[in-house]
Amino acid sequence: MFRFLDTTLRDGEQTPGVSLTPEQKLEIATALSDIGIDVIEAGTAVASEGEKEAIRLISDAGLAAECCTYVRARRDDIDSAADCGVDSVHLVVPVSDLHITKKLGKDREAVYDMAMDAVSYAKERGLIVELSGEDASRADIDYLSNLFRDGVSAGADRLCFCDTVGLLTPERTAEIIPRVCHAPLSIHCHNDLGLALANTLTALNSGATCAHVTVNGLGERAGNTPFEEVVMALERLYNYDTGIKKEKIYPLSTLVSRYTRVPLATNKPIVGAMAFTHESGIHAHGLMKDSSTYEPLSPELVGRKRRIVLGKHSGSASVKSALNELGYKPNDKQLNEIVRRIKEIGDRGVRVTDADVMAVADAVMLLECRPVIEMKQFTIVSGNKIIPTASVTMKVNGQEITGAATGAGPVDAALRILQESVSVVGDIRLEEYHVDAITGGTDAVVDVTVKLNRDGRVITSRGARSDIIEASVEAVVSGMNRLLRSENENRSTDSD
């Protein structure tokens, strides 16, 4: 059975600009344990007092996963780790001549002696030891093999081969890994040249039994091997049961993205926004007949949902499906006109939102959209040493409501008071907020797209203005009006 050591909280946190609080680390560690990770590398105990606190919190949490910490071949590092109550140490020693001479200023014999002493001392402290060769892909393999073999004799429980700067190829991986498997071996890859996943899978196929991974592929430079990609490649391509609770992959991914403030690449496999999003008419038409036509795996498998977006590539089948989901029943003539107008919007380089589709459908089908919300006025107060505050007066179903709210910024304050003001007719949550600049310069037009949720019904809406607050308010109010329309409203027509 392959195992997973997740180093999101150590190597992943070394992503420039990322800094997690002890409480955030504990929440992520709990999610990692719940999803089925075997070992959690919780951090580096000697890094700071905050890091020690986080490691203690995780080690004392009673998680099913083994709690591990990174240590150098130094007794004080090992003491710090043991004092935090961890189960194991990831004991890293440089093994390439480049690292040995340039970084440490030592020779091979000195590093060998340091490694043997550290392994023996860590075992004396009652720790499980994973002896790891840093920059192993540039090391002399005979030297590395001897160090690993003797490390096991000194008490190391596991070994780890580190491709520290991502220079392995799958062919080289297949050649090297069998030569260093003197104990259960982990593979630790970096993605500098985009081969981390391929090298990790090759190593597992060549004798390694554990993959070092990070959620979303976080890590220094181009990151580490992405956890979600290894799991789904093993499951889907090799029919291997990883034991991971796959339906929790996307919630875990978004949790890590939120706390690290590292957004997911739009086209990232498995967890990116476009991984299960389709626009092309041919693709969408095929998906409606059989989802496997244009999807390698079901989005529900990883805790996601499929999404069909409309634009200039959309065909009548996907537009009709979207309209039906929004409650519209156009006849064939109306459908053709709606498709034509949607393509026109897409041709202008503008993303087509649900609110756009509904507005087009209303116009073509001669349906009246009676606004539930009518904005009378809104005011924003913000500035140096002033808490951003928004006040609004609006009519909601004919009832005039005035209120105010503060926020982290002027846009946040405005959106908060809008949500509070419509609570009398429905609980509407803002799920996503995205801003694009359409034109350049200080008077740039901004395009704000929002995703709103009311009782599980989700709608996207858009606002475009030169003022970001006005664009945001326009997008939210438009979306809210569409969400709050009567569910019994007749959106079909008998006319041809």
Side-chain angles (χ1 to χ4, degrees):
M1 183 78 176
F2 293 143
R3 302 167 74 248
F4 294 95
L5 182 150
D6 185 276
T7 183
T8 302
L9 302 179
R10 198 273 300 176
D11 225 343
E13 197 188 19
Q14 291 175 199
T15 302
V18 172
S19 181
L20 299 167
T21 67
E23 293 74 22
Q24 289 171 337
K25 279 199 164 193
L26 176 60
E27 187 175 345
I28 292 172
T30 301
L32 290 170
S33 181
D34 289 346
I35 205 172
I37 288 291
D38 299 282
V39 184
I40 298 169
E41 190 171 21
T44 307
V46 295
S48 69
E49 288 303 314
E51 192 80 336
K52 286 182 181 178
E53 180 187 351
I55 295 168
R56 288 193 191 100
L57 281 173
I58 295 168
S59 64
D60 292 342
L63 303 179
E66 178 185 309
C67 182
C68 175
T69 183
Y70 174 100
V71 297
R72 297 165 296 180
R74 295 175 48 156
R75 293 196 171 202
D76 53 341
D77 276 28
I78 294 166
D79 287 334
S80 293
D83 292 344
C84 287
V86 299
D87 303 301
S88 63
V89 288
H90 179 206
L91 172 56
V92 180
V93 293
V95 291
S96 70
D97 289 334
L98 176 64
H99 277 226
I100 290 171
T101 58
K102 299 297 184 182
K103 189 172 87 169
L104 292 186
K106 298 183 181 296
D107 57 25
R108 292 183 180 185
E109 291 71 23
V111 169
Y112 174 92
D113 291 340
M114 289 167 55
M116 297 308 117
D117 178 74
V119 168
S120 299
Y121 185 67
K123 295 306 295 181
E124 289 176 17
R125 292 300 312 262
L127 296 164
I128 299 168
V129 177
E130 180 157 324
L131 176 60
S132 190
E134 184 180 18
D135 203 31
S137 48
R138 290 190 287 190
D140 177 87
I141 298 305
D142 289 333
Y143 171 73
L144 176 64
S145 180
N146 290 335
L147 186 142
F148 273 1
R149 185 188 61 244
D150 293 349
V152 172
S153 297
D157 303 276
R158 305 188 292 250
L159 303 170
C160 179
F161 186 102
C162 291
D163 184 24
T164 302
V165 291
L167 292 176
L168 275 180
T169 63
E171 295 80 9
R172 181 69 173 148
T173 302
E175 177 188 343
I176 294 174
I177 294 301
R179 297 176 59 184
V180 293
C181 288
H182 301 300
L185 181 76
S186 300
I187 180 69
H188 179 111
C189 292
H190 282 257
N191 203 34
D192 295 81
L193 294 172
L195 291 174
L197 174 62
N199 290 330
T200 296
L201 293 174
T202 302
L204 292 175
N205 190 50
S206 303
T209 56
C210 177
H212 282 207
V213 293
T214 60
V215 176
N216 301 335
L218 287 174
E220 295 179 277
R221 303 180 313 280
N224 292 44
T225 307
F227 162 67
E228 59 282 351
E229 294 178 26
V230 177
V231 170
M232 295 317 301
L234 287 171
E235 294 266 357
R236 183 67 181 84
L237 301 178
Y238 296 92
N239 297 314
Y240 181 83
D241 182 2
T242 61
I244 296 296
K245 297 172 184 174
K246 298 180 289 297
E247 71 280 0
K248 294 187 176 184
I249 285 177
Y250 187 60
L252 172 64
S253 172
T254 54
L255 173 69
V256 170
S257 178
R258 185 170 76 252
Y259 280 161
T260 60
R261 298 182 182 180
V262 177
L264 297 170
T266 301
N267 63 339
K268 187 171 187 329
I270 315 298
V271 294
M274 295 301 171
F276 298 100
T277 299
H278 309 270
E279 179 185 323
S280 170
I282 296 172
H283 284 206
H285 189 64
L287 283 162
M288 290 169 197
K289 293 184 175 181
D290 186 336
S291 63
S292 65
T293 52
Y294 289 103
E295 284 178 347
L297 54 95
S298 166
E300 290 78 13
L301 195 62
V302 293
R304 302 199 64 182
K305 291 183 179 180
R306 179 180 303 106
R307 185 161 177 250
I308 305 293
V309 299
L310 302 181
K312 66 180 181 180
H313 301 108
S314 299
S316 58
S318 53
V319 173
K320 184 177 181 179
S321 176
L323 288 168
N324 289 343
E325 286 185 13
L326 293 168
Y328 292 88
K329 305 294 181 184
N331 58 38
D332 290 345
K333 182 177 178 181
Q334 291 165 341
L335 176 61
N336 290 336
E337 178 60 16
I338 292 170
V339 170
R340 186 188 70 78
R341 295 194 188 189
I342 286 173
K343 286 178 178 289
E344 279 186 355
I345 297 173
D347 278 335
R348 295 201 301 267
V350 177
R351 69 177 69 190
V352 181
T353 68
D354 298 331
D356 294 327
V357 175
M358 295 174 79
V360 169
D362 288 338
V364 170
M365 298 172 68
L366 303 178
L367 300 175
E368 180 185 358
C369 177
R370 297 178 296 277
V372 177
I373 303 169
E374 293 182 75
M375 181 67 67
K376 295 298 183 181
Q377 71 83 28
F378 74 90
T379 304
I380 302 291
V381 178
S382 181
N384 187 30
K385 298 183 180 179
I386 297 175
I387 297 174
T389 304
S391 62
V392 300
T393 300
M394 57 201 300
K395 278 190 175 181
V396 181
N397 273 343
Q399 176 187 352
E400 190 166 291
I401 296 174
T402 298
T406 59
V411 173
D412 183 48
L415 300 189
R416 282 175 185 266
I417 188 55
L418 288 177
Q419 289 175 276
E420 291 177 14
S421 297
V422 301
S423 62
V424 293
V425 290
D427 178 25
I428 298 178
R429 291 182 290 108
L430 176 66
E431 289 198 343
E432 288 183 14
Y433 177 86
H434 182 81
V435 180
D436 286 311
I438 299 176
T439 60
T442 56
D443 59 344
V445 173
V446 293
D447 188 341
V448 173
T449 306
V450 298
K451 181 187 287 186
L452 303 170
N453 185 319
R454 182 193 181 202
D455 299 328
R457 185 181 170 211
V458 178
I459 193 171
T460 55
S461 182
R462 182 171 52 86
R465 301 277 179 140
S466 59
D467 185 289
I468 188 172
I469 300 171
E470 290 183 2
S472 302
V473 170
E474 179 182 56
V476 171
V477 170
S478 174
M480 285 178 168
N481 267 321
R482 298 292 175 180
L483 273 176
L484 292 170
R485 291 172 68 174
S486 170
E487 294 182 2
N488 298 319
E489 187 176 49
N490 181 13
R491 298 186 198 170
S492 62
T493 179
D494 297 326
S495 63
D496 293 325

